[in-house]
Amino acid sequence: MKIVKKSSYLLLLTGLLALPVLAQTITSKNPHAAMHKELLAKQASHADEQIQLVEHYTFIDLLEEDIEPEPDIYTEGWNSQSVNPFKDSDVPDSQVIDVTGHFMPCPGFITSNYGYRRKFGRMHKGVDLKIQRNDTIYAAFDGKVRLTAYERKGYGYYIIIRHPNGLETVYGHLNKHLVKPDQVVRAGDPIALGGSTGRSTGPHLHFETRFMGYAINPCAIFDFENQTTHTDTYTFTKKTYTQPRNFAPAKTVARK
């Protein structure tokens, strides 16, 4: 177990207090562009906050290596015809995906990033978001519930929603389902109560964004720091879908 200095905890708390709070929904492209410009201007004018955010994400990186990623429900331990209907599909090399009209699945900050876990030899194919037990979880986009299920050794209670924009979103470690398969939902509709079921050491939401089975890094689509999307569209490619996007000023990026 890694020892984290007390000062790191103070920096974490300070960084969290500095995070801006923004409206959840964006329904047209021009307002989105204007809002994102305002965000960037605000970030650029607060150097102290930027430093705190760097320390905040450094702290998270120290923790996440000790968290074993969930087995991939699309490929491990489940009937692929139920969980991954795209197994035999011809996935395009490039696809532009409309991500307007979104709603953040919960307001929590990232506690574990998307990415490969060397310690466990496999990918963490989503992000973990901080919640309290029984916090409401919301549908990220309009869509239809494709699957609600339970996986004891991984995701616990989870939901998969299919969206008209081509994405599927996955919500894991839930305490209770509030929707049923084939139910139509709108962005922002309550779909579950968050929890710590399955392979989990504390309450959090495991959130994935998938395109035809490919687990896109949610940070390529969503700006969790500012509770919005980076842009109105996301272009999926097989070469870049694991990479995050960051449109913040250069000062907010930690130097290596």
Side-chain angles (χ1 to χ4, degrees):
M1 177 66 67
K2 296 174 183 169
I3 299 176
V4 181
K5 294 183 179 179
K6 185 176 181 181
S7 61
S8 295
Y9 286 103
L10 294 175
L11 286 169
L12 170 63
L13 292 173
T14 306
L16 291 177
L17 291 174
L19 292 176
V21 178
L22 298 170
Q24 287 264 6
T25 57
I26 298 169
T27 57
S28 66
K29 297 186 178 181
N30 289 336
H32 181 280
M35 180 175 288
H36 212 273
K37 287 179 181 178
E38 290 176 6
L39 287 173
L40 297 184
K42 184 176 181 180
Q43 291 171 345
S45 65
H46 293 82
D48 291 340
E49 293 179 3
Q50 294 163 1
I51 292 172
Q52 292 163 1
L53 288 173
V54 170
E55 294 294 338
H56 164 64
Y57 285 110
T58 300
F59 176 81
I60 290 173
D61 287 339
L62 289 175
L63 293 180
E64 67 181 4
E65 289 297 329
D66 287 332
I67 302 172
E68 183 175 359
E70 299 85 347
D72 184 359
I73 54 173
Y74 277 67
T75 60
E76 299 178 28
W78 282 90
N79 180 339
S80 62
Q81 296 305 310
S82 296
V83 179
N84 185 10
F86 309 106
K87 181 178 180 181
D88 299 317
S89 299
D90 184 13
V91 180
D93 291 327
S94 179
Q95 180 71 37
V96 177
I97 299 170
D98 183 351
V99 293
T100 57
H102 75 282
F103 198 95
M104 302 303 289
C106 71
F109 59 90
I110 295 176
T111 59
S112 184
N113 288 315
Y114 174 103
Y116 184 72
R117 297 290 183 268
R118 289 169 294 182
K119 182 175 181 180
F120 303 106
R122 64 184 178 195
M123 286 284 291
H124 184 230
K125 294 189 175 182
V127 294
D128 291 344
L129 301 171
K130 179 63 178 176
I131 60 166
Q132 300 298 320
R133 195 179 304 274
N134 289 325
D135 277 356
T136 303
I137 308 302
Y138 303 96
F141 302 98
D142 293 350
K144 179 180 285 189
V145 179
R146 185 164 69 78
L147 185 66
T148 63
Y150 177 75
E151 213 289 305
R152 181 176 63 86
K153 295 183 179 180
Y155 289 58
Y157 289 104
Y158 69 93
I159 293 171
I160 300 177
I161 300 178
R162 181 172 292 181
H163 307 286
N165 61 8
L167 291 177
E168 287 194 333
T169 48
V170 181
Y171 311 77
H173 303 301
L174 308 172
N175 199 34
K176 182 179 180 180
H177 298 136
L178 299 180
V179 292
K180 298 178 180 180
D182 296 323
Q183 181 175 335
V184 174
V185 295
R186 299 297 184 187
D189 281 352
I191 59 170
L193 300 181
S196 184
T197 58
R199 180 177 288 163
S200 174
T201 58
H204 69 279
L205 173 67
H206 175 81
F207 178 65
E208 296 183 11
T209 47
R210 299 259 183 168
F211 176 70
M212 299 189 73
Y214 280 73
I216 298 169
N217 187 337
C219 291
I221 298 173
F222 290 96
D223 178 353
F224 291 98
E225 179 182 317
N226 293 304
Q227 296 287 285
T228 185
T229 52
H230 291 295
T231 52
D232 294 311
T233 60
Y234 167 72
T235 301
F236 166 85
T237 70
K238 293 179 181 178
K239 292 183 179 180
T240 63
Y241 74 93
T242 63
Q243 300 172 12
R245 291 193 293 173
N246 185 3
F247 295 102
K251 291 182 180 179
T252 66
V253 179
R255 295 181 180 179
K256 295 183 179 180

